[in-house]
Amino acid sequence: MRLALVAAPPAETATSGGAVSVVLDEWKLVPAQAVVRAGRVTFVVRNDGSMAHEFVVLRSDRRAGGLPVKGGRALEVGLRAEIPGIASGGSKRLTMTLRPGKYVLLCNLLGHYQAGQFAALRAR
Ligand SMILES: [Cu+2]
């Protein structure tokens, strides 16, 4: 985390630190924005669904819907961070450093990715 901050240009770290709201539901994952500034980002993830969900951040150049799937779960290649469980009606935060690039946000509970709980995110 700290290494990535040090490696980023000063202008970028100075303007980073934004919050990104994300809503989980059956069967979708909807970030408030598709593009964020690289650097420190806080995801504020709210579960509006009727069942528990999770929130996974992968660094990937693949299409958000094009991750390889095995046994009902997407392969978590490029895993960067995760909120393992968010109860129905609950909300959790995750602060991490995003380097510039393409990311896939998903819920990877059994079958949820294939049901449509994913979204693309780009950091620049
Ligand atoms: Cu889910």
Side-chain angles (χ1 to χ4, degrees):
M1 294 289 204
R2 195 159 285 281
L3 278 178
L5 275 176
V6 168
E12 214 158 21
T13 55
T15 51
S16 64
V20 179
S21 298
V22 179
V23 174
L24 302 174
D25 207 340
E26 294 89 32
W27 298 101
K28 55 190 180 182
L29 184 159
V30 185
Q33 52 201 94
V35 180
V36 300
R37 201 179 295 278
R40 211 166 141 86
V41 172
T42 298
F43 292 100
V44 182
V45 186
R46 195 179 79 226
N47 183 358
D48 283 353
S50 59
M51 53 197 297
H53 293 291
E54 65 175 15
F55 179 72
V56 176
V57 181
L58 305 181
R59 168 77 178 82
S60 176
D61 286 326
R62 289 180 180 267
R63 280 186 306 110
L67 300 178
V69 173
K70 192 175 181 186
R73 288 190 168 92
L75 297 183
E76 295 186 349
V77 177
L79 177 65
R80 287 296 181 270
E82 179 172 9
I83 301 173
I86 306 168
S88 169
S91 181
K92 287 189 180 176
R93 287 168 171 265
L94 170 68
T95 299
M96 62 184 297
T97 299
L98 292 179
R99 302 178 71 164
K102 293 169 70 180
Y103 295 82
V104 177
L105 313 177
L106 68 148
C107 171
N108 209 14
L109 297 183
L110 189 64
H112 291 204
Y113 171 73
Q114 287 170 298
Q117 275 198 299
F118 58 79
L121 183 80
R122 183 182 202 119
R124 68 180 184 200

